[in-house]
Amino acid sequence: MVDHIADGVKKYAEWSSPVKNDKFTAAVFYSSAYGYTKALANAMKDGVEEVGGVCELFDAAENDMEEMAEKFTAADAVFVGSPTLNRNAVKPIWELLAHIDAVENNKKPVAVFGSYGWSGEACEQLSSHMKLMKMAVYEKPYKCIFKPSAEQLEEAKQYAAEFVKSVMGE
Ligand SMILES: Cc1cc2nc3c(=O)[nH]c(=O)nc-3n(C[C@H](O)[C@H](O)[C@H](O)COP(=O)(O)O)c2cc1C
């Protein structure tokens, strides 16, 4: 009986410890109605690669939820991007988060980003939600109003690089 409890505690500790891949692996999940959050997602990927990480990109509206949840769990760091529509983050991103196991993603380093038009609630909503899931949400989300300029895309790339370096402990 005591052994079962000890085994259970050990397994829980394993499941709730952050992942460490041999090569630093990030995954970017986004949804985008008009392509602006998608442009930021590509810049985030470039930022990860700039500091030597590997990065996969997933449009949450076009990929299988279970498959994305596995990629989310297996990544050393994750990016989550959504525009603000109707004062909310968009459904494919909420749906993805509903597929994520909170225990397996305990302390998962996550950065949030998105394009918005005026009120821009999505990033803060997603950040709060993932903090409640006990993930390690990066200080500030990266947000831009409507279409990101070339300078903003470069800024987004540097934001991603800084985030990854902070996770790598550099
Ligand atoms: C139907 C609709 C509702 C929107 N609602 C909001 C809103 O509540 N707050 C806001 O900041 N922007 C709002 N926007 C603006 C979008 O966030 C903005 O167009 C953004 O750049 C879209 O990013 P995307 O290209 O990644 O889809 C709305 C846009 C549309 C078309």
Side-chain angles (χ1 to χ4, degrees):
M1 178 65 170
V2 173
D3 278 355
H4 281 324
I5 294 170
D7 276 358
V9 170
K10 198 170 153 223
K11 283 212 170 76
Y12 190 88
E14 273 168 28
W15 291 333
S16 61
S17 296
V19 175
K20 261 211 179 311
N21 290 296
D22 290 339
K23 189 150 170 73
F24 190 94
T25 304
V28 179
F29 302 93
Y30 71 92
S31 187
S32 186
Y34 307 99
Y36 298 155
T37 303
K38 180 178 181 178
L40 292 178
N42 280 307
M44 298 292 163
K45 182 175 190 284
D46 291 345
V48 175
E49 289 169 352
E50 186 179 81
V51 291
V54 288
C55 188
E56 279 187 283
L57 204 59
F58 299 92
D59 181 338
E62 297 203 337
N63 284 279
D64 179 73
M65 288 290 160
E66 293 299 339
E67 216 171 279
M68 284 189 289
E70 279 173 26
K71 296 284 186 178
F72 193 112
T73 302
D76 295 294
V78 166
F79 294 79
V80 176
S82 171
T84 299
L85 297 188
N86 194 24
R87 296 195 178 271
N88 205 349
V90 295
K91 190 178 168 198
I93 292 295
W94 285 125
E95 193 179 347
L96 171 64
L97 293 183
H99 281 75
I100 300 302
D101 184 312
V103 172
E104 286 181 335
N105 288 284
N106 185 40
K107 301 198 181 107
K108 172 78 65 185
V110 182
V112 179
F113 64 95
S115 168
Y116 68 103
W118 47 93
S119 52
E121 291 89 344
C123 286
E124 279 72 27
Q125 290 168 344
L126 294 170
S127 296
S128 319
H129 187 80
M130 289 189 282
K131 280 179 192 164
L132 287 170
M133 291 175 79
K134 306 284 185 214
M135 296 184 199
V137 179
Y138 190 49
E139 25 184 72
K140 269 184 78 161
Y142 187 83
K143 298 167 72 167
C144 78
I145 298 178
F146 292 114
K147 184 179 180 181
S149 64
E151 291 75 30
Q152 285 171 322
L153 290 174
E154 182 55 33
E155 209 173 71
K157 181 176 161 185
Q158 293 317 317
Y159 168 91
E162 287 307 316
F163 165 59
V164 168
K165 282 199 274 178
S166 77
V167 178
M168 287 171 164
E170 285 176 18

